Each structure stands twice: as structure tokens, then as C-alpha cells.
Amino acid sequence: MSNLHFEGLTKHYGAVKALDQFTHKFESGQVHALIGKNGSGKSTFIKMLAGAILPTEGQMFLDDRKLEFQSPGEANSAGIVTVHQELSLVPGLSVAENIYLGRLPKRGLLVNWKQLYDDSRSLLAEIGAEMIDPRATTGELSIGRQQIVEIAKAMSLSPKILLLDEPTSALAHAEVGQLFALVDRLRTSGVTIIYISHRLAELPRIADTVTAIRDGTLIGSVAIDKASPKIILDMMFGELPPLQRPTRRIDKTVSALSVRDLELAPFFKGVSFDLHHGEVLGIAGMLGSGRTELLHTIFGARCADAGRIAVKGKTVSNPSIATMKAAGIGYASEDRKASGLVQSAASHANLCRVGQKRIAPSGWTNLALERPFVDKQVAGLHIKIGDPMAPVSSLSGGNQQKIVVGGLLNNEPDILLFDEPGRGVDVQAKRQIYEIIWDMAARGLACIVVSTELEDLTDCCDRVLVLHEGRLSAEFLNEDLDPKSLYAACMTGDDTGAAA
Amino acid sequence: MTNTHLATQLRRHSMLLILLALYVLVAFTARGFMTIDNQLNILRNIAVPGMIAFGMALVIIVGEIDLSVGSMVAVSACLTAWVVEKASGDAFEPAWYFVALGIAVTLCFAGFVGWFNGMLRQRVGVPTFISSLAMMATLAGMANLITNGSAIEAFPSWYYIIGSGRFLGVPVPVYLLAVAFIFTFVLANFTTLGRSIYAVGGNMEAARLSGIDIWRTKKICMIIVALFAATGGIIYSSLINSGNPTIARGMELEVISAVIIGGVSLFGGRGSIWGAFVGVLFLGVLINAMTLWGFNPYAQQVVRGALILGAVFVNFYIDRK
């Protein structure tokens, strides 16, 4: 038996409660689906169970044994093994070496290769993956097979509890079937599986129960035969508050941006749409749907294979970041740390970077010259900074996001592209950022917002386009906007029933 | 509040404080240290590594490195002498324009090498650590090749002025050091290019998405450091009145360690020209003091090595904060 039991499990990050009073019991020998939006507290829960972070308070039990992990290694030896979303295999090593990485069988000082390959072969056979050769180079296998090797590696630790974090997100259809057969097999052998997925359609096939977390709180748990798509979506999103989006006058006489038949292999194809002054347009799509690539192409950071982009009626002949910037487009990156801000630099420098040429057209500059541009954005966007010369890394996520936007505004753009503007900021800061976007739109700027968090789009946008498998597959206007139908559209096919 | 302010100020200027402490220590223990002559001597000695350090600071801030500066100094000295010799037909007192030609050819060559290093980084993705290492060997080889391994003595009699002349009592190289300092300081602090250098070094992708031409920025830094190294080579050729392929061997180590001691982050994006100057002066004062104290020259090398290691530790420690 291996029942997993949680008593008041809580994790605080400063004042933010990532997970609050999680009390639940996962029955032995079943597949438990764990669902929740991004930032719901799901991954915090997983990390605590995997021993990657310590709970602030509360307790975890495996059967009657209390679990307290200082490291993932301790979780492993207690029988709890995690297969992470990103593969953690060494591509240059053989399958067998990957499975027993750090635990290679030895004879004296040397590796006992025969035993290694024999053990690996029997382990792979045990999980029904005889077709994988333990001597094969891991990096040469398909992603699906690598995923199976990852699970074999987990199984070599003989786990009682197996955590699968979005195992299907990178898999093609046929490979998903293989994976599910493997999960079925593990369940029969008595392993308790906690299965995290965004693909709600696959849950009835694989899960026994569905458990939902929302805003750090356990919403509930139902058996899969009682979990209709509507119930699942309600658990994930809750009853939605009415929209408070201001109605705006959208000037449809001229389109600020028109995109025609834009193509960038292998991300998207035949993308056409118009964006008007004063409009906030959302682009929805799941991870890997090509959203970011689309924005990058419009902004000139990637070179399109085909199609054309016109700004204010004028086709941009050779799109590059420089020409698109000059045409009046600003791009707020999805990742403030990796590409949005220079973290080591001061808020001051980050506010002046994009608009450098506008602030100091002669090429000569100094702090006094730049100061008014810094002050203007700090005041206008209500950015809370103590010292503008302190590194921007010391600011909260919300304020960093405002620095990104402020930096763009210093270049006086006509069109703003926001890639995941709400990522990693708290609810209040998110609201403020939307208010800023609305404010920009009210001043006649055209905005595009891209987000995985569909509620953000329905809250913020006048119109939402759905990008699915590289094509614009649906359009939602003002009144029809609600996250549930949008979610269904993003998944397409399988979840259409949920739209009602 | 004021306490933490003081603490950050102290940390920011920690190297300057250490330098001042060293000054006080040496002033009281080494005879002849605190004379104007000796101070000018220190400045003259650090002139060449100093100006290269300013260029190197830009290169490291922009997120690259140039290990070929020592060889560049040597090949520049030789190339200048070689051009003068060939162009003037081995005249006993070559005309000034042959010297000017030699200097011009050398600077063009250096500029090309800097550009080429940047180009390799852009087009082939070769890290400058590797390409400049290869360049270090290549340039050292070239210096030997054109001189046939021995010094070329081809300069006119007035040529000594560049390296050993004085104006108003101050050695000419010190003026050149000052010019290099002002040039790089203004570039780093008062131009949009300077802002771009910090942005590119701090986060290349963010800089690119901001519309900054990151490769142009990197190339300019690579060219500047090569030009300063070439200028250093010309100064040295004047000091010893010949083009000698064995000079400045290992100078890249001295320059890079000075820059790091001066608080320029090896990860890029952080540091200052002023810091590089403090680092260079610190090394210069230390070497001067050790000589005045009568240290064994081999022991001096050990002390310098230990010091560089210590400075790198401090640098990493501050970076991780």
C-alpha cells in the first residue's frame, strides 16, 4: 500500500501564499490527475513532494510514515520519484548509462557494462519498452522514446509514488498512446501516479481521479467518471467575476497593423489579421502554438518565410528590429529575466535603452539628459522604485514589468506587442498592467497581448484570435469572450463540448 | 539608511580604498616612493598596459575577451619598424612621412584584426576566448616572421620622443594614457554607444530586442582594444628604438588582471573605466613598491599571481551578491 496523505500543507513566499492549507489523500495504486492554471500552486505542491523546496508548514505522509525531505535525493529514497516536464537526459550517453546515471554497476573500479546493459534491458522489458535498445545513443531517439527512457530511469529507483509533470506536452499522437500504455502498466503494478497535464481531453483516458488547485487552494477532487469537461473547467477557473473592461472607441478607418499570409516554418502559416488604433487584440494559444514566434516575426526579431506586414498602411519592405522600431512597434518580452531587461543594469538604464535614439539623437548622452524620461515613466506608470540607479533586479515582478513598458513608451510607439505581460506578477500588479494597456489604447495606441492565461485575455482584450497548430483558427469578439470557450478553442476538437 | 548607504559606497569603492591604503603603506616604508619623479615613473610604466586595460574593460563589459593584446603590441612594434625600413629603403635617417606611413599601416592592421575577431564571433560563433587565443599565437608568429626573430632598427633619431620624450616635465606616454582614458571614459559614460556596450554585455538578447546592433557594438570594442594595443606597440618601439618581437610577452595577463582587480565583471555588463584605471594603478604601484623594497623579481611574480587570484575571488563574490 502507498497512500499519500497531506495535512495542512502550506508554502509562503514572503507575503504570497503559493499553497495554502492543502489537505488531501491520494489513494494507492491509482492515477491521480492534478490540474490547475499557471500559478495555481500546482508546481509548488509538486516541488515540496519532490523534496526540491521545504513546506512553510503542514505535513506529508506516505501511509503512516511522516515525510520530511531536505533534498530530492531523500524523496527518491523514500520512494517518491519525479519525471519533470523538461527532459533531464544526457543526449550523448547511451540509454543504459542514462537510466543508471550516477549509480552505474561496478566491478572493482571499472564499470560493469554487461550488468549495466542486462539490468537496463530487463528494466525496459518490465515497463513494456523492449523496443528501446539500452546501447542506443539517447539523443538519437525520438522525444517520445526519450520520455519513456526518462520514466525507465524513474522506475529504476523502484518508486511507490511517481510524479509525471506534463509528460505528453512534447509528444506526438502515437507516442502519447505508448506513454498511456506504460502508465496503465505501472498502475497495475501498484504504483501511485500523480499526473499533471494541461491536456484536459486526455484525462478520461488515463486518470482515475481529478484534483484541482486554484489560487493556492485545493478546490476539490472527483472520480473521473463524474468529471465532465464542464466540471473540470469550473474547478480550474471557478465562477468568473463579470468583466470590468472599459468600452472603447476603436478607430477602424485605418488599420495600425495589417499582417497578410505571414509564414514562419515550422511555427505558423497563413496568418492574416488587422489591428486598429485604440484596440487591444489578444492572441491565445497553448505552449508551443507559435505565439511568441509570431510576435517576434511581427517585431522583426525573426525573419518571415513569406507574407507581409504593413504598419499604418505602409508595407515594411525589409523587416528587422530596427525598421520595425522605426515604424513604431514596441515589443515587451515574455521573459523579463532572459530577454526583457538587463538585470545587472539600473532601472534608469533599462528605461532608456529602447528609446536611446529618441532620447539622445546626437549619440551624446548623460544622466541629466536622460533623467526626465526616467521620471516621466516612473510617475506615469506609478513605478515603485527607491533609487533609479539601483539594479532593476531588486524590484518586484510587477514593477519590473512596468519598467519594460516604460522603456518602450520612451520610444513613443504606435503599436505595442505584449508577450505574457502578466507572467510572474501578483494579481494586483496584473490589474495595474492591464490598466496601463487600456490607458495606452485609449490614447490611440494599438496593442497586441499574448498570454497562456486565457483569463488575462478575456479580461484585457477587445478581441481575441486563437492560434492553434500554427494557424489562426478562431476569433472571439467582446461579448463572446469567456475563458472556458476560449480554452476549448485552444484545444480544439476534443473539448468543444465544454464551450457550452 | 545612511549606514547602508555608506556600506554600499564603501563596497563600490573598495578597490580605491585598498589602493589608498597601499599608497600610505608604501609611502612610509619605501624610500623614494613619494617623489614626483617616481610617481611620474609609475604613470609612465603603466601607460601602455593602462590604455590597453581601458580598451579591455570595454571588451569585457560588452561580454567578450581579447587574449591577443600582448602579441598585438609586439607585432605592432615590429610592423611599424618593418614598414619604415622597407618604405625608406633602409635609409639612415628616414623621413617623417615614412614613420607616419608605418604608424598608419600598423593602426589599420590592428583595426582589421579587431574587426576580424568580432566578425568570427558573429558569423561563426567562435567565442573570442578561442579566436583571440589563436590570434595571440598568429600575431606572435607574424612578429617573428617579419623581423626574422631579431630587432629591426629603422627609426629616425627623433622617434624616441613618442616613448621617452617629455613635455612640461611629464613623459609623453602619460599624455597618451590620459587621452585614452578620456576617450574611453567619455565613450562609456556619455554616449549612446557606451549605454549599448553595457546593455549588450548585461543581456545580449534584451539588447537585441531593444534594437541595438549587438554585433556592431561588440566589433567596435574589439577594434578599440586592438588599436590601443597597437598604440602601445608603437610607444614601446620608440622606447627601445626598434621593432622587437619579444616585447610585451604575457601582457594580456597583466591587462586582464588589472581590469578584474578594478572590479569589471567577467560576466559582462558591469564595471567602469575608472575602475580599470584604479586596477592598473594598483598593479603599477605594487610593482614599483616591490622593486623599491628590494623584492626578488621572481618573488614579485608570485605575489602578483596570488594577488590576481585574490582579486578574482573578490570579483566573483561581489558578482554573486
Side-chain angles (χ1 to χ4, degrees), chain B residues 153-231:
Chain B
E153 293 174 19
F155 296 118
S157 55
W158 54 265
Y159 188 66
Y160 79 93
I161 288 174
I162 300 174
S164 341
R166 283 176 187 254
F167 180 69
L168 303 175
V170 178
V172 172
V174 177
Y175 290 104
L176 295 174
L177 178 70
V179 169
F181 178 80
I182 292 167
F183 174 78
T184 45
F185 186 83
V186 169
L187 175 66
N189 294 292
F190 297 106
T191 66
T192 51
L193 176 62
R195 300 285 195 264
S196 298
I197 290 172
Y198 280 92
V200 171
N203 187 336
M204 221 164 106
E205 184 62 8
R208 187 179 79 92
L209 292 177
S210 303
I212 293 170
D213 189 337
I214 52 177
W215 299 116
R216 178 172 161 269
T217 310
K218 282 180 186 266
K219 275 182 212 152
I220 289 173
C221 294
M222 299 301 291
I223 290 171
I224 288 173
V225 77
L227 287 178
F228 281 155
T231 309

Side-chain angles (χ1 to χ4, degrees), chain A residues 264-480:
Chain A
L264 177 71
F267 299 106
F268 54 83
K269 202 178 174 184
V271 170
S272 300
F273 64 88
D274 282 285
L275 171 70
H276 301 102
H277 289 286
E279 184 181 31
V280 182
L281 173 70
I283 296 179
M286 291 292 113
L287 203 69
S289 61
R291 303 161 309 182
T292 296
E293 289 78 11
L294 178 60
L295 282 197
H296 273 196
T297 310
I298 294 172
F299 182 54
R302 276 169 182 267
C303 198
D305 297 328
R308 76 196 156 80
I309 302 162
V311 179
K312 286 174 280 179
K314 259 187 273 172
T315 303
V316 181
S317 52
N318 55 337
S320 71
I321 293 174
T323 51
M324 286 304 181
K325 238 178 84 175
I329 302 185
Y331 169 71
S333 152
E334 63 175 324
D335 192 334
R336 289 183 295 273
K337 202 164 187 169
S339 55
L341 294 171
V342 180
Q343 292 282 340
S344 61
S347 306
H348 178 109
N350 275 295
L351 280 168
C352 297
R353 193 180 57 252
V354 176
Q356 205 166 257
K357 287 203 177 106
R358 201 171 287 267
I359 294 169
S362 66
W364 296 100
T365 187
N366 59 63
L367 295 180
L369 176 83
E370 293 165 350
R371 180 81 72 198
F373 291 88
V374 173
D375 292 345
K376 181 179 156 199
Q377 300 307 340
V378 169
L381 302 178
H382 307 287
I383 309 175
K384 288 194 183 60
I385 41 175
D387 176 8
M389 299 318 285
V392 75
S393 54
S394 61
L395 300 182
S396 70
N399 279 311
Q400 288 194 19
Q401 189 65 47
K402 289 183 187 177
I403 299 263
V404 172
V405 177
L408 296 179
L409 293 180
N410 271 335
N411 198 39
E412 295 171 24
D414 300 311
I415 301 164
L416 281 175
L417 313 178
F418 293 93
D419 201 351
E420 303 276 358
R423 179 186 279 186
V425 305
D426 62 48
V427 180
Q428 245 181 337
K430 203 181 262 188
R431 271 283 142 84
Q432 286 182 12
I433 288 162
Y434 294 150
E435 276 161 20
I436 291 169
I437 294 175
W438 294 335
D439 197 34
M440 296 301 128
R443 283 196 238 156
L445 268 75
C447 301
I448 297 183
V449 178
V450 151
S451 178
T452 25
E453 293 174 46
L454 302 176
E455 277 172 312
D456 294 354
L457 295 179
T458 53
D459 279 356
C460 176
C461 300
D462 302 309
R463 181 162 65 107
V464 176
L465 302 172
V466 176
L467 192 63
H468 177 74
E469 287 174 0
R471 285 176 179 278
L472 289 181
S473 63
E475 178 173 9
F476 291 82
L477 276 171
N478 269 328
E479 307 77 37
D480 316 329

Side-chain angles (χ1 to χ4, degrees), chain B residues 126-144:
Chain B
V126 185
T128 40
F129 181 82
I130 306 292
S131 61
S132 67
L133 194 66
M135 198 54 83
M136 173 168 118
T138 313
L139 296 180
M142 283 171 78
N144 279 315

